[in-house]
Amino acid sequence: MLNKTRGRPRGNPDTRARIAKVARELFLKHGYPGTTVRAVAAAAGVDSALISYHFGSKQGLFSQSLNLLCVDPTALDQALRGDQAGLADRLLDSVTDLWDATVPAENQMAVQDDDTMRALRDYLDGELRLRIAEFLDGPDATQRATAAVGVLGGLIFTRYLNPIRSIGGLSPADVRRVFGPALRAALHGRPRRA
Amino acid sequence: MLNKTRGRPRGNPDTRARIAKVARELFLKHGYPGTTVRAVAAAAGVDSALISYHFGSKQGLFSQSLNLLCVDPTALDQALRGDQAGLADRLLDSVTDLWDATVPAENQMAVQDDDTMRALRDYLDGELRLRIAEFLDGPDATQRATAAVGVLGGLIFTRYLNPIRSIGGLSPADVRRVFGPALRAALHGRPRRA
DNA sequence: AGCATTATTCAACTGTGTTGAATAAAACCC
DNA sequence: GGGTTTTATTCAACACAGTTGAATAATGCT
C-alpha cells in the first residue's frame, strides 16, 4: 500500500508504541467496532498486517493499547484504610480519579468489547467486592458489599461506558454529592430482613 | 444456497416472525457480535438477503426481534403512584419484572449494540429521570432523581447487561433487599451541601 | 384475466480481520 | 568482521461479514 520498501526499517523506531498511541485515540473516539484495524494502520502509517504481528489480534490491540483498570489499585488500598465514615467518598473518588483521566469527557466511549466487559465483571465481582466485604466486616457484610459494587457499577456504567448526560456532566465533587447517600446506605445501611 | 425454488412461496408462511424468533434466541445466547446474519438465516432456513429485506439491517433485526424496554411503562405508572415509602421497592420490582422475563438468567447477554445502548441511555436520562424527579418534588428533587437512575442503571448493568454472579444470582426479593437501602437513600436522602 | 405488489433465492460487491511468503535491517556469534 | 539467526516490515491473498441488485414466482387488486 504505502511503498515503504519492504523489510525492517532503518534505526529502531518504536513503531509498536506509535501504533498503540493512535489506536488508543481512535478507540476512545469511535469505540471498538467503529475502529477498524486498517484505519489504525493507516493513521500510524503502517501496514495492517503489522498490527496482527505486534498485538496478535484486534482484541489484543484494544486491551494492550487501552489497558483499562476499573479502580487504581493503590487508590483502592488507601480508600480501604481510613475511617468508615469517609469510605464512600474515598471509593467514589478513586473511581473518578482513574476514569476521568483515561476517558476524557468529550470522548463518549460506548465500550463494547468482550474482553473489557469480562475484565470489569471479574474485577467488580471478585477483587473489589471481596475487599469491601472484608473491610466492612459485620453482619451482612457480603450483602452490603454486593450492594456497593452495584452502586459503583452503576456509576461506571452511567458515567463512562454508556454515559447519560445528567451524570456524565457532573464534576467529581458532584459525583460525591449525588452518589454519596446511595453508596453510604449500601455500605452501612441495614438490609431489611427476609 | 438452499434450493428452495426462487420467488414467493406457497401459502402465506409468516417467515418474518419465524426469523425474528430464532434471531431473538441467537442474540440472547451469543450476543450481538457473536450472532451473524447468515447464522440467523441458516437457522431460519432462509437466505440471508431476506433478512435485509425484512429488517433493513442487522441492527434493525436486533431491535425489532428483541425489542427491549428498560421498564414496563404501565408498571412505572403504578410505581409512581403509591406512597413514597414503598417507592424504592416498587421501582426495583418493575425493573426485575420486565428484565427477568425477557433475559432469562442462563442467557447471560452482554448487550453490545449501539442502538440499544442509545435507547437505554435516552430512557434513563429522559423519561425515567424526569418522571421520578416530578414525583419526588422537593428540594434537590432532580439531583435525587439523578442518583436514583444511577442506582437503577447499576442494577440493570450488573444484573443483565454485564451480569456479575453475585448480583445476577439474586432473586427479585433479594434485589429489593440488597438495592433497597441504596435506592431509598438516593431517592429520599439529603445530598450533602456543596 | 391482467397487472402491480410482495416474498423469496441467487450472485456479486465491498470491507474486515487475519495469515503466509518475501524482504531487509538489526543482533548475535566466533 | 563475515555469516547466521532473529526481528520488523510490506505485499498479496484468504475467509467471512453485511448488504445490494437482478431474477423469479406466488399473492392481491380491479
Side-chain angles (χ1 to χ4, degrees):
Chain A
M1 268 239 156
L2 234 158
N3 270 343
K4 281 203 327 190
T5 59
R6 211 120 100 160
R8 187 170 183 156
R10 295 287 164 90
N12 257 352
D14 196 350
T15 314
R16 197 192 134 102
R18 182 158 38 95
I19 295 174
K21 191 178 160 207
V22 313
R24 181 193 160 83
E25 292 165 12
L26 291 183
F27 277 133
L28 285 175
K29 182 138 55 186
H30 302 121
Y32 184 79
T35 304
T36 88
V37 169
R38 282 174 156 92
V40 174
V46 120
D47 190 276
S48 68
L50 195 56
I51 284 179
S52 285
Y53 176 74
H54 277 304
F55 301 91
S57 68
K58 186 186 182 181
Q59 297 258 0
L61 174 63
F62 184 84
S63 26
Q64 290 172 51
S65 70
L66 228 65
N67 76 327
L68 285 182
L69 296 173
C70 311
V71 178
D72 182 356
T74 70
L76 178 62
D77 280 344
Q78 289 186 319
L80 289 178
R81 225 187 331 253
D83 59 331
Q84 295 251 354
L87 176 61
D89 284 343
R90 293 195 304 276
L91 285 174
L92 292 173
D93 281 345
S94 60
V95 169
T96 54
D97 278 357
L98 179 64
W99 285 78
D100 282 359
T102 62
V103 184
E106 75 272 16
N107 292 339
Q108 61 190 40
M109 83 184 292
V111 170
Q112 296 168 330
D113 170 64
D114 256 351
D115 283 355
T116 307
M117 288 299 206
R118 150 81 58 115
L120 183 56
R121 200 186 321 151
D122 290 350
Y123 180 79
L124 288 177
D125 198 26
E127 175 107 1
L128 184 60
R129 186 172 125 267
L130 296 181
R131 299 278 307 267
I132 292 182
E134 161 189 318
F135 179 80
L136 288 178
D137 113 295
D140 309 308
T142 68
Q143 210 168 126
R144 275 146 51 210
T146 300
V149 304
V151 173
L152 291 173
L155 171 61
I156 293 176
F157 178 63
T158 57
R159 185 174 168 88
Y160 306 105
L161 299 183
N162 193 28
I164 77 177
R165 280 198 306 287
S166 57
I167 294 184
L170 301 175
S171 70
D174 289 334
V175 170
R176 272 201 306 271
R177 238 169 275 135
V178 170
F179 280 82
L183 185 55
R184 272 187 293 275
L187 289 167
H188 310 298
R190 177 166 1 116
R192 279 172 313 175
R193 289 268 126 260
Chain B
M1 270 240 157
L2 234 159
N3 270 345
K4 279 205 325 190
T5 61
R6 211 119 99 160
R8 188 170 185 155
R10 294 288 164 88
N12 258 352
D14 196 352
T15 314
R16 199 193 133 101
R18 183 159 36 97
I19 294 175
K21 190 177 161 209
V22 313
R24 181 194 161 82
E25 292 165 10
L26 291 183
F27 277 132
L28 286 175
K29 182 139 54 187
H30 302 121
Y32 184 79
T35 303
T36 86
V37 169
R38 282 173 154 93
V40 173
V46 119
D47 190 277
S48 68
L50 195 56
I51 284 180
S52 285
Y53 175 75
H54 277 305
F55 301 91
S57 67
K58 186 186 181 181
Q59 297 257 359
L61 174 64
F62 183 84
S63 26
Q64 291 173 50
S65 69
L66 229 66
N67 77 328
L68 285 182
L69 295 174
C70 311
V71 178
D72 182 357
T74 70
L76 178 62
D77 280 344
Q78 289 186 319
L80 288 179
R81 225 187 333 253
D83 59 331
Q84 295 251 354
L87 177 60
D89 284 344
R90 293 196 304 275
L91 285 174
L92 291 172
D93 281 346
S94 61
V95 169
T96 53
D97 278 357
L98 179 63
W99 285 78
D100 282 1
T102 61
V103 184
E106 75 271 18
N107 290 341
Q108 63 190 40
M109 83 185 291
V111 171
Q112 296 168 331
D113 169 64
D114 255 351
D115 282 354
T116 307
M117 288 300 204
R118 149 82 56 115
L120 182 57
R121 199 186 321 152
D122 290 349
Y123 180 80
L124 288 177
D125 198 26
E127 174 106 1
L128 184 60
R129 187 172 125 267
L130 296 180
R131 299 277 307 268
I132 293 182
E134 160 190 319
F135 179 80
L136 288 178
D137 114 295
D140 308 309
T142 67
Q143 209 168 126
R144 274 145 51 210
T146 300
V149 306
V151 173
L152 290 173
L155 171 61
I156 293 176
F157 178 63
T158 56
R159 184 174 169 87
Y160 305 105
L161 299 182
N162 193 29
I164 76 177
R165 280 197 307 284
S166 57
I167 293 184
L170 301 175
S171 72
D174 289 334
V175 169
R176 271 201 306 274
R177 237 168 276 135
V178 170
F179 280 82
L183 185 54
R184 271 188 293 276
L187 289 167
H188 311 299
R190 177 166 1 115
R192 281 171 311 176
R193 291 265 125 262

